[in-house]
Amino acid sequence: LNKERQESLSTDSTSVEKQKKLKELNTYLGLTDVTGSGIIITVQDNTASKFVTSKDLVHDADLRAIVSEIKNIGADAISINGQRIVSSTAINCAGAIVKINEEAIGSPFVIKVIGNGDLNYNLTRPGSYIDKLRDDGIKVDVKPSDNITIEKYDGVLTNKYIQSVE
């Protein structure tokens, strides 16, 4: 496009609104870095036990349960050991490690959460999954933070199951 046309497009109010909406959607999809206040949760295997059993280890199901609780509370963004959690994220067991977004990750698991101020209470209340893990001897540390940065998802989002509705 010529320079005049580009300038008119960039100043068009509809174009500005569309760019703003696109930025908002990319943030929602996890395609942009985000910064804000929230909490940092560190979940670590119980190594204090004389004989380490399966109950002493953090499993993929534990991470899925924590992420589920975080999502139910209404967090804006979540990452585990630098892996952004998006709608297509898989958290699976891979032997002695856990795979998140197909990346092998081991304990300790650092979960960064950006969201409202009630996150800490809601995630550590009696009966929460974190409370259950602590009862089982898993080390869980929850700290509020005013300056958390969660990096964007660097994988490929696919849409093989969705269709446009006319």
Side-chain angles (χ1 to χ4, degrees), residues 1-142:
L1 297 172
N2 64 31
K3 188 175 180 179
E4 292 174 7
R5 180 75 175 132
Q6 285 178 338
E7 288 175 5
S8 71
L9 285 175
S10 66
T11 58
D12 181 354
S13 65
T14 310
S15 177
V16 170
E17 283 299 315
K18 286 181 181 178
Q19 288 295 327
K20 183 179 175 184
K21 186 67 174 174
L22 181 61
K23 185 176 180 181
E24 180 184 317
L25 290 173
N26 280 336
T27 300
Y28 176 73
L29 291 171
L31 300 176
T32 59
D33 294 350
V34 291
T35 301
S37 62
I39 58 173
I40 299 173
I41 306 165
T42 304
V43 184
Q44 197 168 4
D45 295 339
N46 177 9
T47 55
S49 184
K50 187 174 181 178
F51 300 104
V52 177
T53 66
S54 179
K55 186 178 176 182
D56 295 316
L57 303 176
V58 179
H59 296 277
D60 56 326
D62 298 322
L63 295 175
R64 285 193 304 269
I66 293 170
V67 167
S68 181
E69 279 196 3
I70 292 168
K71 286 180 177 180
N72 288 337
I73 292 169
D76 296 324
I78 308 166
S79 72
I80 302 175
N81 289 25
Q83 289 296 313
R84 181 76 172 262
I85 305 300
V86 295
S87 61
S88 61
T89 294
I91 302 174
N92 298 311
C93 179
I97 57 165
V98 173
K99 279 192 168 184
I100 302 174
N101 295 329
E102 294 302 316
E103 291 292 323
I105 297 173
S107 179
F109 300 96
V110 179
I111 305 168
K112 294 182 180 179
V113 183
I114 295 177
N116 68 38
D118 292 335
L119 285 170
N120 194 349
Y121 170 75
N122 287 322
L123 289 173
T124 59
R125 74 191 185 293
S128 69
Y129 199 81
I130 286 177
D131 187 49
K132 176 202 169 302
L133 287 175
R134 286 178 172 158
D135 287 345
D136 289 344
I138 299 293
K139 298 175 190 174
V140 182
D141 183 47
V142 181

